[in-house]
Amino acid sequence: MYEGRASGDEYVKLQVYSPPNLTRPTFDEATSHEFKDTHVGASFGPSWSTHWIRIKLKVPRKLQCKERLEFLWDADNEGLIWTEDGEPLQGLTGGGKRRIEWILPDSFRDGKSHRFYIEMACNNIMGNAIGDIIQPPPPNRYFQLKLADIVAVNLEARALFLDFWIIGDAAREFPQDSWEEHQALQICNEIMDTFIAGHGTQDSILQGRQIARKYMSNVDSSKVYESEKEPHVYAIGHCHIDTTWLWPWAETKRKIARSWSNQCDLMDRYPEHRFTCSQAQQYKWLEKLYPTLYDRVKSKVKEGTFQPIGGSWVEHDTNLPGGESLVRQFLYGQRYFESRFGERCKTFWLPDTFGYSSQLPQLCRLAGMGRFFTQKLSWNNINNFLHTTFSWVALDGSQVLCHMAPDNTYTAEADFGDVNRSITQHKSMDQDNTGLLVFGYGDGGGGPTSEMLEKLRRCRGLSDKTGRLPRVKMGDSVDDYFTRLEKKAENGTQFATWYGELYFELHRGTYTSQANTKWNNRQCEIMLHEIEYLATAATLRDSNYQYPKKGIDDIWEDVLLCQFHDTLPGSSIELVYHDSDELYAQVFKAGEKLLKDAMSALELNTSTSHESELKAVSTLPWGRVEIAKVPDSEEYALVSGGPGMASVEKLTGNGTSTASIEELENGTFQLSNEQFRIMVEKGAIISLVDLSEDRELIPRGQKANQLVIFDDKPLYWQAWDVEVYHLRSRQELLPSKSYIVEKGPHIVSLCTETKISEDSWIKTTISLAASVGQRPSYIEMSSEVEWRETMKFLKVEFPVDIRNTEASYETQFGINRRPTHYNTSWDMAKFEVCCHRWADLSEAGYGVSILNDSKYGFATAGNMMRLSLLRAPKAPDAHADMGRHHFRYAILPHAGPLDYRTVRTAREFNHPFKLFHGSPTPSNTFSAMRSIQLTGSPALVLDTIKRGEDDEDVSRGELPSRKGRSVILRIYESLGGKARGCICIDRDVLAVKKIEKVNLLEDDGEDLVLEDDMCDLTFANQGSCKIELRPFEVATFRLQL
């Protein structure tokens, strides 16, 4: 391959600066320090450290006239080349997935010394594990510099190698009974014979290339794609960079620069190269940290060769984030792409995530994207997914056109087999005979290489000259591909249809792993809901209060970042969770300040004096009542009211409704209120009677709130997977003691201590409050756990006397109904599923809901409901979930079917009243917080109240501002039926000019009728707008002031 080589200090002089304490200094900071001599063979480390190498390079005279000069660098790790002036040029990757060459500029051929730098990262492209990549990375890994040479490349020899590679693939992979396979063998033999006979001379190489032309056309330029023969495979370059996984955020930022600079270089050399990349967060990091490289990328975007895609902030998990989080992934992503590149994305790009929410098609549509690309369902470990190209339908009926790469990867290496499989594995050939081939090193970055682009040229040349291999085309975009599919649909092609969630039959353990991260996410979502509600009310009350758009944006962007599909699901290394815990702490601190500022503007100032008035705030959109504990006190209060302010009445021991507890015999306790009588034995509920219905809910001989533990040893992916066979290892946990904590009359509580092992224990407190009015009563369990297990799974069971073949689970803005039986392999595959705030098993006339404050894994088999609590995987984080945990869950029995009571009670369980002491509340604060209300069907949920993104008093200038002020409402139908309601407005507070139904991006939409009706509310000057939502519809309304 090489015609000459130079190395050693005379031609390649190496010096190093090693920053201390695993810091990653900027170019200017690093190059200001003293450099020391180093050499090939030196070792660099430890893991995650950075070393700046200064290189003085001199091309010897004998190489100066050669056609191609390259600098080869291989330290088995990653690096970024910088010019002497601080310009990032391209990335280097040693080891397996290699790009170790840098084409030297012609200016280096002058015989003089030239200086440049390599920023060395002591990790390889897939992190720092040794051997198995998902094992916890050692802290003291070192990397040896193996190569630092100048070489003269024989381009014809390199080209012949690639010719021979592809024709050899044809000989191996074409059918043995085909003439194409026989001819490929003959061509390969003829090339080899000619090369050997010619002793490897340049003439023999050139002759070999001519022989290759018998099997493939001229492949030495992009003109190979200019034939008018119809292609079947459309290849697009891609570089999937996990925003975290086996490396921390700090390394991801450098991976972006290394990978994307490489693609810009390839675009300059290969006119056909088209590269697509998602994740607005990664573009923002590049913009901030590498401004000159960002400008280079931006110029390629303008040329159409570097193609932003996806429309989301990161490639997020879609199971675990709340509904409004999914909305904001699209809102922040699309706004970034539009503000920087002048266009929004048309295709939602999510190749690597662990299941797909049933509401994604609706949210995609509302965010301006009618196309969806993924491939992860090809990893299913039980059933093969049925389609390649199909229409995917959300709960509300919205559809997107979906394509899954037939090659079953988003990191293809552009081999002969990748092109071939893009058709042979296509499952929708009756409707369309084309497929997308997404190629380029990924997960840890890298992207396409020149070798991949050369292989694709040869595959196309082979198809045109010989045939049989599907014809591949470069130069189009993903949007071009979907446009062709849409035209086929418009012309009558009927693609298959898939309704509801795309359940991923793998990685089910991610609903539970890294419990603290999931708790943090849930609490952040709740906090942001409260901030936006209170800040919006404050802007309506106080014209001097500035809506904190930047602060809210900063918090949302951090929360969205942590929803990346290897962060929130719990499948990253330990270092990632150190970083995310620190970021969450900053988010909570910033959020508390914004809450305090908004409450201050509303004159809801807190006081440390217990003599001041006791107040309560509810940010939920309906009135409610509950018994709550008074802050810093052992007293209780009855809190009622909302939305907004609520009344607080301290409770005495003389209430008409009480709760009681007594020990009937040693270890058996009875808890009761007006609604329920509960018998607890050894910490488990052996009887739960609904007194008003005279109905026992626990089957005879069974136990609810029974803690169980399972062996949790998946086949490979520890943090990711739980296998169905874990259910065979069930063991009940037996408590050591139970004792009464609170005796009532307002709340009664029973604590049970259970030893899990020598190192682990759990305290579970069962509480029952006195019944209050029409409020549904529930049995609450509060748990404190010290968890020090190895590959175990902790769950809690609830057998109920309910029979149904389906159970219901809350998902974002809706309900997923899943089987409670294993009739088919598709049913059995859902032995562990995702839910949000509640899961429910109901039959005609009665049901039981299980509520939670931070858990997502659930299972219902027959009449057994199981909530997943904690796991203990040891890879890739050896200490995942170890330590102290606190969480709550509850049993909510209900007469009648599943309805709004479960939806509302689960929200109340997660959004308790905010109680505080303070001065009297001004009347205009009451009015501001209650000025927008939703009446009508209780299935309608007013989920979010916020200010308009581009209001002139709110806009940050990234996109054109809108005149005036507006309030945005997000309302959804929660139960699955058409629902009518009325948006009611207090016009003394809100001078609403018009109401529009808009999309998630708040574009101008449909004007609605604003009337002067009364909505059964007490507003003196009332405006109202009637609305109707289809089942599970998510609707956004703008109230223009």
Side-chain angles (χ1 to χ4, degrees):
M1 296 289 188
Y2 304 120
E3 300 176 307
R5 184 183 295 265
S7 59
D9 283 355
E10 181 180 359
Y11 302 110
V12 184
K13 174 70 174 176
L14 305 177
Q15 295 180 301
V16 63
Y17 162 64
S18 299
N21 303 320
L22 303 185
T23 55
R24 295 175 172 88
T26 66
F27 175 87
D28 289 338
E29 292 168 344
T31 55
S32 68
H33 287 81
E34 180 182 353
F35 282 67
K36 299 178 180 179
D37 288 347
T38 189
H39 56 87
V40 173
S43 292
F44 299 89
S47 307
W48 310 116
S49 62
T50 297
H51 303 269
W52 282 81
I53 314 296
R54 183 163 62 200
I55 301 168
K56 293 181 181 178
L57 185 146
K58 179 181 178 181
V59 177
R61 184 184 301 274
K62 65 180 181 180
L63 299 183
Q64 290 174 16
C65 61
K66 297 298 184 179
E67 182 181 5
R68 166 77 67 83
L69 296 179
E70 294 178 352
F71 177 66
L72 303 185
W73 175 272
D74 190 357
D76 270 347
N77 56 21
E78 294 192 274
L80 179 63
I81 298 175
W82 295 78
T83 68
E84 189 174 11
D85 298 326
E87 183 83 15
L89 290 181
Q90 75 156 68
L92 296 166
T93 302
K97 298 179 178 180
R98 291 156 57 98
R99 176 169 179 174
I100 64 170
E101 78 283 355
W102 174 45
I103 300 173
L104 293 178
D106 288 341
S107 60
F108 279 36
R109 297 172 182 265
D110 58 3
K112 299 178 182 179
S113 291
H114 296 266
R115 187 162 66 178
F116 61 95
Y117 295 85
I118 294 177
E119 179 188 12
M120 177 195 288
C122 283
N123 52 267
N124 67 28
I125 199 168
M126 297 301 284
N128 263 318
I130 298 174
D132 182 356
I133 65 167
I134 71 164
Q135 291 305 307
N140 290 305
R141 184 177 181 182
Y142 281 76
F143 297 83
Q144 186 178 52
L145 176 58
K146 298 176 179 178
L147 186 65
D149 291 358
I150 304 168
V151 296
V153 182
N154 185 331
L155 294 178
E156 290 293 343
R158 181 178 284 175
L160 180 60
F161 169 76
L162 292 164
D163 292 345
F164 192 85
W165 183 346
I166 295 301
I167 299 172
D169 280 349
R172 285 184 291 272
E173 297 199 30
F174 277 156
Q176 291 186 2
D177 60 354
S178 67
W179 68 266
E180 294 93 346
E181 185 263 357
H182 285 274
Q183 186 178 9
L185 282 172
Q186 295 301 314
I187 294 291
C188 286
N189 284 329
E190 188 177 354
I191 290 172
M192 188 60 70
D193 291 344
T194 301
F195 184 80
I196 293 171
H199 304 290
T201 62
Q202 188 69 8
D203 282 346
S204 69
I205 291 170
L206 294 173
Q207 289 178 41
R209 295 220 64 207
Q210 287 302 312
I211 294 167
R213 294 294 169 270
K214 298 178 183 179
Y215 205 76
M216 60 176 64
S217 59
N218 189 328
V219 295
D220 291 339
S221 76
S222 61
K223 292 181 179 179
V224 69
Y225 296 108
E226 293 179 4
S227 74
E228 295 184 0
K229 296 180 179 179
E230 182 181 0
H232 296 94
V233 178
Y234 294 85
I236 188 77
H238 180 53
C239 172
H240 181 71
I241 302 177
D242 282 315
T243 300
T244 58
W245 184 28
L246 306 177
W247 48 86
W249 287 318
E251 200 54 48
T252 304
K253 296 169 185 177
R254 302 201 295 189
K255 285 176 175 286
I256 295 163
R258 293 191 287 259
S259 301
W260 293 7
S261 60
N262 287 357
Q263 301 315 306
C264 291
D265 170 63
L266 289 175
M267 290 167 194
D268 292 337
R269 293 192 281 139
Y270 291 88
E272 72 270 27
H273 185 34
R274 300 293 181 270
F275 176 75
T276 195
C277 216
S278 63
Q279 307 195 76
Q281 173 69 86
Q282 295 190 3
Y283 287 84
K284 185 172 183 177
W285 279 336
L286 190 76
E287 181 182 15
K288 179 180 179 181
L289 300 174
Y290 302 90
T292 58
L293 178 53
Y294 173 79
D295 288 342
R296 192 177 173 196
V297 166
K298 196 168 184 178
S299 69
K300 297 298 183 185
V301 172
K302 189 173 182 179
E303 293 171 7
T305 51
F306 197 115
Q307 299 166 351
I309 199 169
S312 58
W313 190 249
V314 294
E315 288 188 11
H316 54 280
D317 180 82
T318 79
N319 288 315
L320 306 170
E324 191 61 24
S325 287
L326 293 186
V327 168
R328 301 305 173 96
Q329 286 285 352
F330 292 136
L331 179 69
Y332 282 88
Q334 289 285 49
R335 286 178 63 82
Y336 182 88
F337 288 124
E338 183 179 11
S339 66
R340 285 359 182 241
F341 306 118
E343 289 186 7
R344 297 170 178 170
C345 300
K346 299 177 182 177
T347 301
F348 183 35
W349 181 271
L350 198 61
D352 182 24
T353 199
F354 311 147
Y356 307 88
S357 165
S358 52
Q359 287 287 47
L360 273 181
Q362 179 179 188
L363 300 181
C364 285
R365 279 284 182 188
L366 291 171
M369 294 179 287
R371 299 106 173 245
F372 177 49
F373 174 84
T374 188
Q375 66 81 44
K376 198 69 174 183
L377 293 186
S378 66
W379 286 38
N380 278 4
N381 70 346
I382 296 178
N383 298 286
N384 290 323
F385 191 70
L386 303 175
H387 312 296
T388 293
T389 305
F390 59 98
S391 291
W392 181 23
V393 184
L395 294 177
D396 77 312
S398 301
Q399 298 186 36
V400 293
L401 185 59
C402 181
H403 181 75
M404 298 190 182
D407 192 32
N408 293 341
T409 183
Y410 51 88
T411 60
E413 297 185 19
D415 290 325
F416 178 101
D418 291 315
V419 174
N420 200 37
R421 286 188 294 273
S422 295
I423 295 300
T424 60
Q425 294 182 169
H426 201 299
K427 299 173 184 175
S428 304
M429 293 288 284
D430 289 348
Q431 292 79 39
D432 181 70
N433 62 357
T434 67
L436 267 180
L437 172 60
V438 181
F439 70 96
Y441 291 131
D443 293 331
T449 63
S450 58
E451 185 177 84
M452 295 178 190
L453 295 168
E454 292 286 354
K455 286 189 289 183
L456 287 175
R457 285 182 176 181
R458 283 156 177 78
C459 287
R460 176 58 183 260
L462 188 157
S463 299
D464 285 348
K465 182 84 172 186
T466 301
R468 186 171 282 272
L469 181 67
R471 192 169 291 107
V472 65
K473 185 180 188 300
M474 287 283 291
D476 282 3
S477 68
V478 174
D479 283 335
D480 292 334
Y481 180 77
F482 274 103
T483 297
R484 283 188 289 270
L485 292 179
E486 288 173 343
K487 287 182 178 176
K488 292 194 73 168
E490 291 171 5
N491 292 330
T493 298
Q494 294 185 346
F495 291 106
T497 300
W498 186 272
Y499 290 86
E501 69 176 328
L502 291 170
Y503 178 83
F504 183 40
E505 297 179 5
L506 201 68
H507 295 0
R508 303 167 184 89
T510 59
Y511 312 145
T512 306
S513 297
Q514 299 287 359
N516 284 334
T517 301
K518 292 171 170 61
W519 187 91
N520 283 332
N521 179 74
R522 179 81 66 89
Q523 296 307 308
C524 284
E525 291 175 334
I526 292 168
M527 181 182 69
L528 281 160
H529 169 90
E530 294 178 344
I531 290 171
E532 291 182 329
Y533 172 86
L534 294 171
T536 300
T539 63
L540 301 179
R541 179 186 181 276
D542 183 355
S543 59
N544 294 319
Y545 172 79
Q546 180 64 42
Y547 188 79
K549 183 70 165 62
K550 183 182 185 304
I552 290 173
D553 287 348
D554 290 345
I555 292 175
W556 265 119
E557 288 179 9
D558 288 342
V559 172
L560 299 177
L561 168 62
C562 291
Q563 291 171 355
F564 179 74
H565 67 254
D566 277 308
T567 311
L568 181 56
S571 50
S572 288
I573 60 172
E574 185 173 7
L575 188 56
V576 168
Y577 295 104
H578 291 168
D579 289 347
S580 64
D581 285 348
E582 184 178 322
L583 186 61
Y584 278 127
Q586 295 171 10
V587 162
F588 287 126
K589 183 178 179 180
E592 285 301 319
K593 183 181 184 305
L594 295 184
L595 280 172
K596 184 178 179 181
D597 291 346
M599 292 182 71
S600 178
L602 290 165
E603 296 191 38
L604 298 175
N605 299 306
T606 58
S607 170
T608 57
S609 172
H610 288 196
E611 301 302 318
S612 56
E613 183 181 346
L614 189 59
K615 301 168 174 294
V617 170
S618 171
T619 62
L620 295 181
W622 49 74
R624 50 194 283 213
V625 58
E626 66 183 52
I627 296 174
K629 201 162 194 177
V630 176
D632 303 317
S633 168
E634 295 302 314
E635 297 180 287
Y636 287 93
L638 181 65
V639 188
S640 59
M645 300 303 299
S647 64
V648 182
E649 176 188 351
K650 284 190 178 181
L651 292 172
T652 66
N654 301 318
T656 57
S657 177
T658 62
S660 64
I661 186 170
E662 59 179 319
E663 187 170 6
L664 301 180
E665 55 187 64
N666 188 28
T668 302
F669 299 83
Q670 178 175 291
L671 295 75
S672 59
N673 64 11
E674 289 185 354
Q675 293 187 33
F676 301 119
R677 183 177 66 245
I678 306 160
M679 301 288 289
V680 179
E681 183 178 276
K682 296 181 180 179
I685 298 173
I686 59 172
S687 173
L688 171 53
V689 177
D690 183 330
L691 298 173
S692 62
E693 296 291 317
D694 190 24
R695 177 165 181 157
E696 171 64 65
L697 300 178
I698 308 301
R700 182 182 297 274
Q702 298 190 42
K703 297 174 287 186
N705 194 44
Q706 175 63 57
L707 293 167
V708 289
I709 197 164
F710 301 83
D711 290 335
D712 188 14
K713 298 176 180 178
L715 297 172
Y716 178 64
W717 299 98
Q718 286 193 40
W720 293 260
D721 284 350
V722 57
E723 306 290 356
V724 68
Y725 54 74
H726 87 285
L727 294 170
R728 297 184 178 183
S729 63
R730 176 185 178 276
Q731 287 183 295
E732 292 186 3
L733 294 176
L734 301 178
S736 56
K737 61 179 178 179
S738 297
Y739 50 90
I740 295 172
V741 177
E742 292 188 82
K743 296 183 177 180
H746 311 301
I747 290 180
V748 294
S749 298
L750 174 70
C751 182
T752 299
E753 297 183 5
T754 302
K755 188 174 182 180
I756 300 171
S757 68
E758 289 300 315
D759 300 311
S760 303
W761 51 261
I762 181 169
K763 291 182 181 179
T764 303
T765 301
I766 303 175
S767 298
L768 181 68
S771 300
V772 180
Q774 298 301 309
R775 175 181 183 264
S777 189
Y778 54 76
I779 303 92
E780 177 177 336
M781 275 63 70
S782 177
S783 297
E784 179 183 8
V785 187
E786 181 67 19
W787 183 246
R788 300 285 177 185
E789 297 303 294
T790 296
M791 302 183 80
K792 296 290 185 179
F793 202 150
L794 180 67
K795 303 186 183 187
V796 61
E797 295 182 338
F798 307 93
V800 292
D801 189 19
I802 303 289
R803 186 176 183 84
N804 200 325
T805 57
E806 286 187 331
S808 300
Y809 304 85
E810 186 188 38
T811 188
Q812 301 95 342
F813 301 125
I815 299 171
N816 285 328
R817 293 183 171 87
R818 302 181 176 112
T820 60
H821 54 77
Y822 294 170
N823 276 2
T824 70
S825 60
W826 294 87
D827 300 326
M828 185 271 288
K830 296 178 181 178
F831 61 84
E832 180 84 2
V833 298
C834 184
C835 75
H836 280 236
R837 288 165 290 220
W838 56 265
D840 182 87
L841 183 62
S842 292
E843 61 189 26
Y846 207 92
V848 174
S849 300
I850 305 298
L851 318 180
N852 75 82
D853 75 342
S854 60
K855 299 302 174 184
Y856 295 88
F858 209 94
T860 306
N863 72 330
M864 178 65 76
M865 306 175 77
R866 285 195 188 99
L867 178 65
S868 297
L869 301 177
L870 292 169
R871 298 185 68 224
K874 299 304 173 185
D877 177 359
H879 304 102
D881 283 316
M882 297 299 97
R884 193 65 56 91
H885 298 267
H886 297 85
F887 47 81
R888 298 160 52 241
Y889 52 90
I891 306 172
L892 174 66
H894 55 86
L898 169 65
D899 61 18
Y900 73 93
R901 292 169 296 172
T902 290
V903 174
R904 291 188 174 187
T905 306
R907 281 183 171 255
E908 292 169 13
F909 189 75
N910 280 268
H911 292 251
F913 278 107
K914 296 175 73 71
L915 269 68
F916 58 96
H917 289 91
S919 54
T921 304
S923 60
N924 57 0
T925 293
F926 281 95
S927 301
M929 297 178 73
R930 296 173 58 88
S931 59
I932 303 169
Q933 295 193 43
L934 179 64
T935 64
S937 169
L940 294 176
V941 176
L942 175 50
D943 186 71
T944 298
I945 299 178
K946 61 183 281 290
R947 290 294 307 279
E949 290 293 314
D950 295 310
D951 289 355
E952 58 187 356
D953 65 325
V954 169
S955 172
R956 299 175 63 192
E958 295 176 332
L959 291 169
S961 63
R962 299 176 56 89
K963 286 186 177 182
R965 302 193 304 162
S966 68
V967 175
I968 299 295
L969 311 180
R970 192 109 53 229
I971 299 171
Y972 74 98
E973 196 286 319
S974 63
L975 296 174
K978 183 179 291 187
R980 295 186 177 94
C982 189
I983 300 171
C984 299
I985 301 155
D986 184 348
R987 284 181 155 170
D988 289 333
V989 179
L990 282 178
V992 177
K993 296 178 181 178
K994 68 173 182 176
I995 298 181
E996 293 176 88
K997 188 176 184 180
V998 298
N999 60 16
L1000 301 184
L1001 307 181
E1002 300 176 19
D1003 296 329
D1004 289 342
E1006 173 193 358
D1007 286 349
L1008 303 181
V1009 177
L1010 181 59
E1011 300 175 317
D1012 295 328
D1013 293 350
M1014 299 299 289
C1015 284
D1016 300 324
L1017 296 175
T1018 57
F1019 297 152
N1021 183 13
Q1022 182 169 256
S1024 63
C1025 176
K1026 295 179 181 178
I1027 61 172
E1028 180 178 287
L1029 272 62
R1030 60 185 178 272
F1032 296 125
E1033 180 182 358
V1034 181
T1036 305
F1037 300 92
R1038 175 165 51 229
L1039 280 56
Q1040 190 67 46
L1041 308 184

